[in-house]
Amino acid sequence: MRMGMVGLGRMGANMAQRLMRAGHEVVGHARRRATVDSFMAEGGLGAYTLADLIDKLPAPRVVWCMVPAATVDALLTELVPLLAAGDIVVDGGNSFYQDDICRARELASKGLHYVDVGTSGGVWGGERGYCLMIGGEPSIMPVLDPVFRALAPGTTAAAPTPGRVAGQGSADLGYLHCGPHGAGHFVKMVHNGIEYGLMAAYAEGLNILKSAGVGAAAHGQDAETAPLRHPEHFQYDFNIAEVAELWRRGSVVSSWLLDLTAAALHDSPDLSGFAGRVADSGEGRWTVQAAVEEGVPAPVITAALYARFGSRGHADFADRVLAAMRYQFGGHVEKG
């Protein structure tokens, strides 16, 4: 199949390369001419404009968009007038699922098909394959099935679930039609919310291990310092990188996320290259909002989201207010 890929960043370029290795032809477009040149140098077909991209695709055209969620509507404003009835637009980024519903309705009025695909795999997906969570019209899925199969990791990514009949669904391969428009990004949204919680749990646990030698440090004895009742109980000096490596083997908390954490700690045991400011690209917020609307408790994901806000300094004023109140009511002076 020949298809278009709009967006040749960390995800889009790797996805295009994986598709080409599977025998598909990919026409790539990016805003920067140099990016398109680099893509062509690696064996892809290039298009410096969206019009050129469309001209190089056979009908019905398939255009896969891998751009930031905030830029999808602007892209569609340029792209849609160039398309013809029957063409398919795929949004493989991290769009808000409610936006998908609106976009699908608008494109359908023009005879176009819209498919939302939550894509997980990160920068390693080019090698490992991508987990694809798909929303859209069921009738379009067979057209795109060869693309999904090429991008997905396949059956070797995980052992069969005990008791499950092998090959009974595409989930075994790493992709799944989850439901109508917006369903793919809804599932990916919750996937990323879970990711927030998992990351926070690993980070907090390793931080507790790192601080387990607090009993060997000198402690002030004053009204501002909570006493350490039994410093002899906190005399450990754990090698955090080795503990992470240990947990990768046979532990119930082993995971690919832990594998990546162990790799980071091996490269830099004190993680000195990181300032600790953790971004959130929206999916965690949307997951918490969905939980509120559904009346479903999600305390772990919510706490992990708020921790990310705090990591970027957004709790600084609140912390100063707390310190000021303690000073006002008790004369308490800040301590480190």
Side-chain angles (χ1 to χ4, degrees):
M1 175 186 294
R2 176 180 285 199
M3 59 176 288
M5 179 69 72
V6 179
L8 298 172
R10 288 173 297 180
M11 291 282 283
N14 284 343
M15 292 172 73
Q17 290 295 333
R18 185 173 177 87
L19 286 165
M20 289 189 292
R21 289 197 299 270
H24 296 283
E25 291 185 313
V26 180
V27 182
H29 168 72
R31 292 187 180 277
R32 295 179 62 249
R33 189 181 185 91
T35 303
V36 178
D37 289 338
S38 177
F39 180 67
M40 289 191 290
E42 294 174 353
L45 302 172
Y48 296 119
T49 66
L50 287 175
D52 186 26
L53 176 90
I54 298 307
D55 286 343
K56 291 179 177 177
L57 297 178
R61 303 170 186 85
V62 175
V63 181
W64 190 300
C65 304
M66 285 302 295
V67 299
T71 68
V72 172
D73 286 326
L75 171 60
L76 292 178
T77 298
E78 294 183 55
L79 177 63
V80 168
L82 303 172
L83 300 174
D87 289 349
I88 303 169
V89 176
V90 179
D91 179 2
N94 282 326
S95 288
F96 185 37
Y97 77 98
Q98 294 180 19
D99 292 338
D100 293 320
I101 297 171
C102 296
R103 292 166 185 158
R105 186 184 305 120
E106 175 63 22
L107 267 62
S109 70
K110 304 178 187 302
L112 304 172
H113 303 285
Y114 180 87
V115 180
D116 53 284
V117 180
T119 307
S120 182
V123 297
W124 296 95
E127 300 174 18
R128 293 167 52 96
Y130 299 89
C131 177
L132 304 174
M133 296 146 268
I134 307 159
E137 306 156 73
S139 61
I140 299 302
M141 296 306 111
V143 178
L144 296 174
D145 194 74
V147 175
F148 297 147
R149 283 179 175 266
L151 289 172
T155 57
T156 59
T161 297
R164 178 182 171 93
V165 178
Q168 71 177 36
S170 66
D172 293 3
L173 300 171
Y175 67 97
L176 179 68
H177 179 241
C178 300
H181 296 115
H185 278 146
F186 192 100
V187 174
K188 178 56 162 47
M189 172 186 79
V190 177
H191 164 284
N192 282 24
I194 293 170
E195 181 182 294
Y196 280 33
L198 290 172
M199 292 173 69
Y202 280 126
E204 290 175 10
L206 294 175
N207 196 31
I208 292 170
L209 290 177
K210 183 174 178 58
S211 299
V214 65
H219 294 273
Q221 296 182 351
D222 52 59
E224 307 307 322
T225 305
L228 184 63
R229 292 173 57 86
H230 294 285
E232 69 275 14
H233 294 170
F234 297 92
Q235 298 286 329
Y236 303 111
D237 182 16
F238 295 116
N239 185 321
I240 306 302
E242 288 298 291
V243 171
E245 192 66 28
L246 168 70
W247 285 352
R248 294 181 60 220
R249 294 164 169 80
S251 165
V252 296
V253 300
S254 61
S255 69
W256 183 44
L257 188 55
L258 181 60
D259 294 345
L260 297 176
T261 304
L265 289 166
H266 176 267
D267 292 341
S268 176
D270 61 358
L271 302 178
S272 58
F274 298 91
R277 298 174 62 86
V278 187
D280 75 288
S281 53
E283 299 89 345
R285 303 185 189 203
W286 303 334
T287 303
V288 171
Q289 290 167 359
V292 171
E293 292 296 325
E294 295 172 3
V296 174
V300 172
I301 295 173
T302 302
L305 173 65
Y306 288 168
R308 292 193 178 202
F309 295 163
S311 77
R312 304 198 298 271
H314 298 319
D316 287 356
F317 184 71
D319 291 340
R320 290 198 294 273
V321 171
L322 289 172
M325 287 191 290
R326 291 190 78 248
Y327 179 76
Q328 288 294 327
F329 69 65
H332 300 286
V333 178
E334 290 179 295
K335 295 196 66 174

